[in-house]
Amino acid sequence: MCPKSEHVPYSTLRLGPNMTRLVRLLPPEKDGSRIECELFNYILPERSVRKHLYEALSYVWGSESKPCTIFLNGIAFPVTKNLYTALLHLRDPQLARTIWVDAICIDQDNDDEKSIQIPLMRAIYAQADRVIVWLGEAIEDGDNALKRIHRLAEDQSLQDKSLLAQSHKTSDDACLKLLQREWFQRIWVLQEVGVARYISIICGSVQINGHVFCEGLSILGYSLDLPRTIRPVVHLIKGALFRPSYEIDSCGTLAIGELLDMYRNHHATILHDKVYALLGLSAEDADKTDLKPNYRLQWNDVFKKVAMHVFPGAYSVETWLEIPVAVIEGRGWVLGYVDSVEENTFKYGYQQININYNNTAQLLGCQNKWGTQWTLQVYAESIQKGNIICLLQGAPSPIIIELCNDHFTVIISTVTLQSGGNIKIPDMESINDIYMTWEISLADKESNSGLRDQRELTFVAPHYQENISLIIRDIIIQMLENKDPKDQIGYLLRCCGKSLAISEDVVKAAAANTGIGIWGGYMIMQLLHKHCGKSLPISEDVVKAAVANNRSGHEIMQLLCRHYKKSLLISEDVVKAAAANTEHGLYLMELLREYYGKSLPISEDVVKAAAANTEHGPKIMQLLREHCGKSLPI
């Protein structure tokens, strides 16, 4: 623990409004001498149009233990090993260096001071002449990895970027290890680089410009599968080049919901910081949104405030102590689903999402407003084919949700689209009750593994199971209108587990699907059979849809006869539809005869359908004569 304030200079350096402290890192009196610093107050102007002549350090504390000592205004002050090493590397042999360092400039034992200083951190890093990113010592070849990234940026004039990246395969491991360092995982560093005007990246004694670092990484990505947390961080570092020095106090461009979607898996020491560390990047005023940092609040109160802000139409939000999950109850419209997800090859860190809208979305004009192709940043949670697009009542923009057994979980809470504006909602009856969980990862490196299953919404009203089944029915039927919905439906079935029943309408639509290739709806019926087993609802209408399927009717009926023979209702209408099938009529009639023998109902209408079959008519008629003999109704 850091010494109490009476043992360090904080008691003599009380902070007023818009005031922080800076550290003057003094040159050594001789080689190897102790680190001497001077701490002093510094006023941050409310409005600033220029950078200030101090640097701000972005680093990670590492271990909470503080085995090293510096001297602050002549008083021994314990610091972490990583900070001590950073100060050693930053210390100039001749000149004093003015730096802002959170662990030194803020009294970490004073929650009231932290609640005041944290909102100032945006201004502190934005007004700094330079933000120094300290990645740590040159272990595991980290310094050489940084050199390689610099070389990749220098040589990017080579047209084939993949060849350029592959030409340095020997140092791939070092680069990956560098990018897996803790700095890239911590949530506080996002604000620190996200408002900076100039950034330097340092590992050991190697230092490169932040923009150069990003350029090199974009090329490295052609040959390496970079950690998922890297892309959004790179996006923020790269933005420093475009942040004008004459607009130091300009706000961020993203809503707090978008920021949480992007960075909620980054690590924090306490859960509060999963929210507070992002406020400086937000376009929203924390004072006006009631999200101003307050470490005296319990975590569940903080998270509830955030959830109610991000989901303004929700009429119920429930949160818990020390659990990063909110259960949200609201009403809204299902608009369709994600049809495909592709990486945007022209814009690093972005992805192309193709949307398949349903009839409700068409009535709302979503396609005209938002289009069918969305270019979105890479988020903390992967968007998958089959994810559901939803618009909550009272919300300005759509969200992306995923089925999770007996409820939905939020993948993207705030989808901001560049064109179209908000949707005007007319009076419609297609609104649904929607129960969702919204999660962020636990503090530090704990895992959320299994958390969704543990928090199944068994406490909600019984009608909800019926409601969610209706939503899934409509989505699957919409998917089945496509020619090749196998991947999307398979994903959806895996998400819903065994808890939700598959309706007869879904099975009927699957049996009728003509699909792509020779199999068509057969592959979908296989998925449904595997998911439901003997509980799959097979009605007469389902069987009629199967025998009428010109693409894969024979294969579907083979599956049904093999697994559901006793429960199949083979009526005269079913046999008539089979006899009329121009692609599979003969094979279907042979199959039905094999399984049902003399019980197969052959009427005059069946004979007429067989005779009218332009492809298999004569052969089906021959089969019927053999089957019925003189009793054939002609």
Side-chain angles (χ1 to χ4, degrees):
M1 291 292 292
C2 181
K4 297 297 181 183
S5 58
E6 60 264 29
H7 300 305
V8 291
Y10 300 130
S11 58
T12 59
L13 292 170
R14 299 296 184 188
L15 296 176
N18 296 313
M19 185 181 290
T20 189
R21 305 183 186 97
L22 294 177
V23 171
R24 190 176 290 114
L25 179 59
L26 301 176
E29 294 182 0
K30 57 183 179 180
D31 290 344
S33 63
R34 68 188 194 181
I35 295 178
E36 295 274 2
C37 299
E38 295 175 353
L39 190 67
F40 61 95
N41 285 356
Y42 187 80
I43 297 174
L44 293 165
E46 291 189 31
R47 296 290 177 186
S48 181
V49 294
R50 63 177 180 84
K51 295 187 290 183
H52 293 234
L53 297 180
Y54 66 86
E55 298 167 302
L57 183 63
S58 178
Y59 72 110
V60 295
W61 286 28
S63 170
E64 291 188 12
S65 65
K66 299 178 180 179
C68 302
T69 301
I70 66 171
F71 287 83
L72 199 58
N73 292 8
I75 301 172
F77 185 85
V79 295
T80 64
K81 183 180 178 182
N82 192 43
L83 176 54
Y84 185 85
T85 307
L87 294 174
L88 275 179
H89 278 80
L90 294 175
R91 185 168 61 170
D92 188 272
Q94 298 184 59
L95 300 175
R97 196 167 185 172
T98 304
I99 308 176
W100 189 89
V101 184
D102 61 349
I104 301 175
C105 298
I106 299 176
D107 183 356
Q108 298 296 327
D109 288 322
N110 188 331
D111 282 346
D112 290 336
E113 180 173 306
K114 285 166 65 178
S115 295
I116 295 170
Q117 286 291 293
I118 283 173
L120 292 178
M121 285 177 64
R122 173 187 169 81
I124 291 168
Y125 280 90
Q127 294 180 20
D129 185 61
R130 177 170 63 154
V131 170
I132 302 167
V133 173
W134 169 252
L135 296 180
E137 296 185 80
I139 57 174
E140 297 181 319
D141 233 10
D143 52 348
N144 288 326
L146 200 57
K147 288 179 182 178
R148 183 203 168 184
I149 292 169
H150 186 274
R151 285 195 300 270
L152 287 173
E154 280 187 323
D155 298 339
Q156 67 170 312
S157 57
L158 184 67
Q159 287 189 348
D160 192 337
K161 303 293 193 299
S162 60
L163 289 178
L164 176 60
Q166 291 170 6
S167 66
H168 297 81
K169 282 284 188 182
T170 54
S171 52
D172 278 357
D173 287 346
C175 288
L176 279 176
K177 287 178 180 177
L178 179 70
L179 298 175
Q180 289 166 354
R181 291 197 179 191
E182 192 178 358
W183 185 88
F184 293 99
Q185 317 297 325
R186 299 299 289 180
I187 199 161
W188 273 112
V189 305
L190 301 172
Q191 176 180 249
E192 295 162 7
V193 297
V195 299
R197 266 58 186 173
Y198 186 89
I199 298 172
S200 291
I201 313 287
I202 302 177
C203 180
S205 59
V206 177
Q207 174 176 316
I208 69 173
N209 173 271
H211 188 76
V212 172
F213 177 78
C214 296
E215 290 295 310
L217 278 189
S218 66
I219 297 169
L220 191 65
Y222 283 95
S223 65
L224 287 180
D225 185 14
L226 301 180
R228 190 169 183 83
T229 52
I230 294 299
R231 293 189 177 189
V233 177
V234 169
H235 171 76
L236 293 175
I237 296 175
K238 197 170 185 177
L241 185 68
F242 306 101
R243 296 179 196 121
S245 58
Y246 54 82
E247 290 184 0
I248 296 295
D249 297 316
S250 59
C251 294
T253 58
L254 301 177
I256 189 64
E258 292 177 273
L259 293 167
L260 284 165
D261 288 336
M262 294 171 65
Y263 303 121
R264 60 186 175 183
N265 288 339
H266 279 70
H267 301 155
T269 304
I270 60 174
L271 282 169
H272 294 61
D273 287 342
K274 305 285 272 187
V275 176
Y276 294 159
L278 299 176
L279 293 177
L281 293 173
S282 175
E284 301 164 291
D285 188 329
D287 290 332
K288 294 179 181 178
T289 57
D290 196 27
L291 298 179
K292 190 174 181 179
N294 183 354
Y295 285 92
R296 294 188 179 278
L297 286 177
Q298 299 278 13
W299 159 249
N300 58 312
D301 294 326
V302 173
F303 198 25
K304 187 169 186 175
K305 285 175 179 283
V306 175
M308 293 179 71
H309 173 73
V310 173
F311 302 97
Y315 50 80
S316 173
V317 174
E318 189 168 357
T319 56
W320 293 267
L321 280 172
E322 305 305 323
I323 296 178
V325 178
V327 172
I328 299 161
E329 183 178 354
R331 306 196 78 204
W333 297 268
V334 173
L335 304 178
Y337 65 92
V338 175
D339 197 34
S340 65
V341 183
E342 299 172 0
E343 185 174 347
N344 190 313
T345 55
F346 300 102
K347 204 170 183 182
Y348 180 74
Y350 284 78
Q351 52 195 337
Q352 195 78 27
I353 313 297
N354 292 303
I355 307 301
N356 191 309
Y357 290 111
N358 60 16
N359 291 334
T360 299
Q362 302 292 349
L363 291 173
L364 293 174
C366 296
Q367 183 166 335
N368 293 333
K369 287 281 188 179
W370 296 330
T372 58
Q373 291 188 337
W374 299 353
T375 300
L376 304 176
Q377 289 189 23
V378 173
Y379 292 94
E381 294 290 332
S382 298
I383 300 173
Q384 305 283 346
K385 289 193 294 185
N387 284 161
I388 297 169
I389 310 300
C390 178
L391 180 65
L392 291 183
Q393 194 173 40
S397 59
I399 65 174
I400 300 178
I401 58 179
E402 174 184 82
L403 181 63
C404 183
N405 287 328
D406 63 349
H407 64 282
F408 293 107
T409 188
V410 178
I411 301 298
I412 309 298
S413 70
T414 309
V415 177
T416 299
L417 302 169
Q418 298 300 316
S419 60
N422 297 335
I423 296 293
K424 292 183 179 179
I425 306 295
D427 292 332
M428 297 178 64
E429 296 182 357
S430 57
I431 194 166
N432 298 285
D433 291 320
I434 299 178
Y435 295 79
M436 310 174 291
T437 59
W438 187 41
E439 305 170 26
I440 61 176
S441 65
L442 292 164
D444 283 328
K445 297 180 181 178
E446 298 177 65
S447 171
N448 274 15
S449 177
L451 198 57
R452 290 178 183 173
D453 293 337
Q454 294 168 15
R455 297 230 61 85
E456 290 181 3
L457 306 185
T458 54
F459 54 84
V460 299
H463 76 272
Y464 179 59
Q465 284 290 325
E466 180 181 352
N467 181 68
I468 196 171
S469 295
L470 291 174
I471 293 174
I472 299 308
R473 180 202 67 183
D474 292 345
I475 285 290
I476 293 180
I477 289 175
Q478 182 196 349
M479 289 176 174
L480 285 165
E481 293 173 359
N482 283 351
K483 291 297 183 184
D484 190 18
K486 176 169 62 69
D487 290 345
Q488 293 91 330
I489 291 177
Y491 174 76
L492 203 59
L493 292 176
R494 289 193 299 274
C495 289
C496 72
K498 302 294 184 181
S499 61
L500 292 177
I502 299 298
S503 71
E504 178 189 332
D505 289 344
V506 168
V507 184
K508 179 181 174 182
N513 181 269
T514 53
I516 292 177
I518 62 171
W519 298 112
Y522 172 65
M523 299 299 291
I524 310 300
M525 290 297 291
Q526 274 194 321
L527 288 174
L528 294 176
H529 165 66
K530 185 177 180 181
H531 180 78
C532 297
K534 294 297 183 181
S535 65
L536 189 68
I538 308 294
S539 66
E540 180 183 359
D541 285 342
V542 169
V543 181
K544 283 167 64 177
V547 296
N549 189 320
N550 279 326
R551 178 79 67 176
S552 57
H554 180 237
E555 290 79 10
I556 294 173
M557 283 305 297
Q558 280 184 317
L559 183 148
L560 294 180
C561 289
R562 186 163 59 248
H563 296 287
Y564 305 94
K565 176 185 175 182
K566 292 182 179 180
S567 60
L568 291 187
L569 180 57
I570 306 300
S571 65
E572 177 186 328
D573 286 343
V574 168
V575 182
K576 177 182 173 182
N581 190 313
T582 54
E583 293 294 327
H584 299 280
L586 176 62
Y587 312 114
L588 285 166
M589 292 299 292
E590 288 176 339
L591 181 70
L592 293 174
R593 181 187 180 191
E594 175 188 348
Y595 273 91
Y596 294 95
K598 293 298 182 181
S599 65
L600 197 65
I602 306 297
S603 67
E604 183 178 346
D605 285 342
V606 170
V607 176
K608 286 181 179 179
N613 190 316
T614 56
E615 295 294 326
H616 299 281
K619 292 184 178 180
I620 296 175
M621 288 300 296
Q622 178 63 31
L623 182 149
L624 291 176
R625 289 189 188 95
E626 293 173 0
H627 180 74
C628 297
K630 293 182 179 180
S631 63
L632 183 68
I634 297 179

